[in-house]
Amino acid sequence: MSDQNLIETPLLTERFEQAFEYTFHLHARQLRKGGSIPYISHLMSVAALVLEDGGDEDAAIAALLHDAIEDQGGTPIRTEIQKRFGDRVLQIVDACTESDQVPKPPWKLRKERSLVQLRQAPVEAQRVMIADKLHNLRSIWADWQRQGDRVWERFNASQSEILWFYGACIEAIRDRFDSPMVTELQTILRYFNE
């Protein structure tokens, strides 16, 4: 390995390793919607997108944990995240959490609240939120190419509602968050809307 590819101090520390292990255990039995893909693949992809977009270690940890409160236990998980990874990680995860209510509120209400959160979130949380949306839309696109319109059957909303939501996410951050991820979201959305 060439010396030009090495840095003196790692950008990711044992905290990231601990977050990855914690995330693995939290989501070990969870699958991606409509398939047999381990859910952690989504969390790893979101963390990778965040890092590739310039996010720091806290943002990458939050990316790994962005669905933990919502999917794995609400307040007790929120408390554990704060204890293990600190206030900044928790703030980002909280900004990404659509709801910790059981049962979850209706789809449209959750998405409208999510759009408000996206508009008001600090940039580091917006980065995680957009990485999440991008990976989800990439996955829908890939599945749509394999399965056609059957892909929409797995959701609690119609195709037009889902595509509306992704378009509204782009509008919510268009003037506040500049990232190639936004451009890619727009590109995929255009394919669906053609």
Side-chain angles (χ1 to χ4, degrees):
M1 184 182 298
S2 148
D3 286 343
Q4 62 188 344
N5 294 331
L6 297 177
I7 56 175
E8 198 168 304
T9 305
L11 299 178
L12 298 176
T13 67
E14 290 78 22
R15 285 178 70 238
F16 184 83
E17 180 181 2
Q18 291 162 4
F20 185 83
E21 184 177 349
Y22 180 61
T23 300
F24 173 81
H25 289 292
L26 279 178
H27 296 274
R29 297 177 191 269
Q30 191 175 358
L31 298 175
R32 291 283 283 164
K33 193 175 287 194
S36 59
I37 298 170
Y39 194 78
I40 197 166
S41 68
H42 168 65
L43 305 172
M44 293 186 310
S45 294
V46 173
L49 286 167
V50 165
L51 288 168
E52 290 166 6
D53 196 62
D56 63 11
E57 183 176 53
D58 280 349
I61 290 170
L64 289 172
L65 296 168
H66 77 271
D67 283 333
I69 293 170
E70 187 170 328
D71 292 347
Q72 301 301 323
T75 300
I77 296 298
R78 178 180 280 115
T79 302
E80 189 66 23
I81 288 170
Q82 183 177 32
K83 183 175 123 184
R84 287 177 182 237
F85 305 108
D87 290 338
R88 185 166 179 258
V89 169
L90 178 62
Q91 288 167 354
I92 297 170
V93 173
D94 271 336
C96 297
T97 302
E98 285 185 352
S99 174
D100 61 359
Q101 293 176 281
V102 178
K104 289 182 180 182
W107 184 89
K108 182 85 172 191
L109 180 60
R110 284 184 290 126
K111 298 309 175 189
E112 287 171 345
R113 287 180 186 166
S114 178
L115 289 168
V116 171
Q117 288 170 228
L118 180 57
R119 279 187 209 97
Q120 296 173 350
V123 170
E124 60 269 10
Q126 287 179 334
R127 178 175 282 114
V128 175
M129 296 164 93
I130 292 301
D132 173 45
K133 304 305 180 265
L134 177 56
H135 186 258
N136 283 335
L137 196 57
R138 278 179 177 176
S139 297
I140 293 169
W141 174 249
D143 289 345
W144 182 80
Q145 291 178 74
R146 286 189 285 268
Q147 302 169 10
D149 287 337
R150 285 188 335 221
V151 74
W152 306 109
E153 295 171 7
R154 71 175 78 154
F155 297 103
N156 297 323
S158 68
Q159 175 183 349
S160 62
E161 289 172 316
I162 292 165
L163 296 178
W164 159 81
F165 175 64
Y166 285 105
C169 287
I170 293 167
E171 289 303 314
I173 49 89
R174 184 183 302 278
D175 297 330
R176 291 195 59 219
F177 183 70
D178 183 30
S179 166
M181 291 191 295
V182 176
T183 305
E184 187 175 350
L185 264 174
Q186 290 172 311
T187 301
I188 297 171
L189 202 54
R190 256 196 314 271
Y191 282 116
F192 276 123
N193 288 321
E194 286 180 348

